[in-house]
Amino acid sequence: MGADRRRSRVLEGYLDTRRAPARPARDAVLVRCQADVTVARSWRLRDVDCCLIEGADVDVVPYRRNAVPRPGADERGIALGFVAAGSMQITQDRHSVTLRRGQVGLYDGLTPFALHSEVPHRYLVAHLRRQVVRLRPEDRDSLMARDLSAFVGAAALGALLATVVEVGEDPMPAAGQHLGDAILACVLAIVAESRGPAVGERSSLLFGELADWLDAHLPDDLSTERLAAEHFLSARYVRKLFADHGTTVTAHIRDRRLERIRDELLAPWNADVPVSAIAARWGMRDPSAFSRAFTRQFGEAPAGFRSRAVRRPRDPAG
């Protein structure tokens, strides 16, 4: 057998769309390939960082300079893979799945994984932060590096990502926000399908009712106790109900408020409204606590987020 002529390289920052020049990349992989891989495109859709990679005959594994992960490393969260052309094998925790064109797969960015392809391919990899996709331990075992083709959510996600790749250009900020939401909705649908009837239809309906009530009262002073009292439930039961759905009442309220605030920061009619006033409008009245929560959730301070969105050039034809 001839010698392996493939060479190795470290690919850093291919998913880190918020990377600053002086800051180390949040992501890095070691790539072995005969013909160098090409990052055809990188872009961001709300909470989803995307990268389209083209190559052939590759093996990919995570790369870390330090044995001990740096603070914030868990932000890497879940990786979503989509094959736009060719095929890609994902291996993690002794599980392995080969994705064909149009198929999607999930793997954990913190746990060792391996990607392998012997054919020319176009592979989209997306990063979903842990704050927006909360998985139970059993979810990881049933979804990471597994065949997801039986799930309706996976079929919908594959069709959506195929369209995103084919368009070939970054959407305007408002459209990108909604596309990111759609990707996350499909992933959450896959998670819900994988859990089957364990949570129970009645429990799911009640959770939806409570979540809708919270959405309608986000500007108010909210707590688990108030939510329980408004629906004639015990606080203990409400806590368990939210835990069964992978979250807490406090986290759900915070995340929904931050989403509303982020949307309002993008609205042109709010350009002259102070960030703190928009936050207070949605029940986050402590500017320091709000700024920390926003930065932790979205990777940048609210003022910087608004400034970056405003500076983005508009389509002359629009």
Side-chain angles (χ1 to χ4, degrees), residues 126-145:
H127 167 254
L128 297 86
R129 292 178 299 110
R130 290 180 182 275
Q131 293 95 325
V132 296
V133 182
R134 293 184 173 88
L135 298 180
R136 306 172 188 168
E138 58 267 29
D139 294 330
R140 292 164 48 83
D141 185 64
S142 62
L143 294 174
M144 301 297 111

Side-chain angles (χ1 to χ4, degrees), residues 32 62 98 106 127 236 272 274 285 293 298-299:
R32 295 188 66 210
T98 298
L106 298 173
H127 167 254
R236 179 179 180 182
D272 296 326
R285 299 177 179 86
F298 303 123

Side-chain angles (χ1 to χ4, degrees), residues 78-82 99 102-107 128 133-135 138-140 142-161 182-197:
I78 304 303
L80 162 67
F82 169 74
L99 306 180
Q103 292 185 316
V104 297
L106 298 173
Y107 47 105
L128 297 86
V133 182
R134 293 184 173 88
L135 298 180
E138 58 267 29
D139 294 330
R140 292 164 48 83
S142 62
L143 294 174
M144 301 297 111
R146 295 287 196 167
D147 182 0
L148 307 178
S149 59
F151 298 131
V152 175
L157 181 57
L160 173 61
L161 293 176
I183 291 172
L184 290 173
C186 289
V187 172
L188 293 175
I190 294 170
V191 174
E193 287 182 89
S194 72
R195 292 175 179 175

Side-chain angles (χ1 to χ4, degrees), residues 10 22 34 52 61 88 112 115 157 231 241 256 266 273 292:
V10 175
Q34 189 165 359
L52 181 63
V61 294
M88 182 67 70
L115 305 179
L157 181 57
H231 293 83
L241 180 64
R256 295 296 290 162
L266 289 171
V273 180
R292 288 194 299 271

Side-chain angles (χ1 to χ4, degrees), residues 133-248:
V133 182
R134 293 184 173 88
L135 298 180
R136 306 172 188 168
E138 58 267 29
D139 294 330
R140 292 164 48 83
D141 185 64
S142 62
L143 294 174
M144 301 297 111
R146 295 287 196 167
D147 182 0
L148 307 178
S149 59
F151 298 131
V152 175
L157 181 57
L160 173 61
L161 293 176
T163 302
V164 169
V165 171
E166 288 171 6
V167 168
E169 60 184 26
D170 295 357
M172 294 299 290
Q177 303 293 313
H178 292 297
L179 287 171
D181 284 345
I183 291 172
L184 290 173
C186 289
V187 172
L188 293 175
I190 294 170
V191 174
E193 287 182 89
S194 72
R195 292 175 179 175
V199 173
E201 183 177 355
R202 184 175 178 182
S203 174
S204 295
L205 290 173
L206 178 57
F207 176 81
E209 180 182 339
L210 298 184
D212 288 344
W213 187 90
L214 288 173
D215 275 356
H217 294 81
L218 288 176
D220 302 344
D221 291 329
L222 297 174
S223 66
T224 302
E225 289 70 22
R226 181 184 173 188
L227 178 62
E230 291 283 349
H231 293 83
F232 305 99
L233 301 169
S234 71
R236 179 179 180 182
Y237 178 80
V238 170
R239 290 190 185 95
K240 182 179 185 304
L241 180 64
F242 274 72
D244 285 342
H245 286 78
T247 187
T248 66

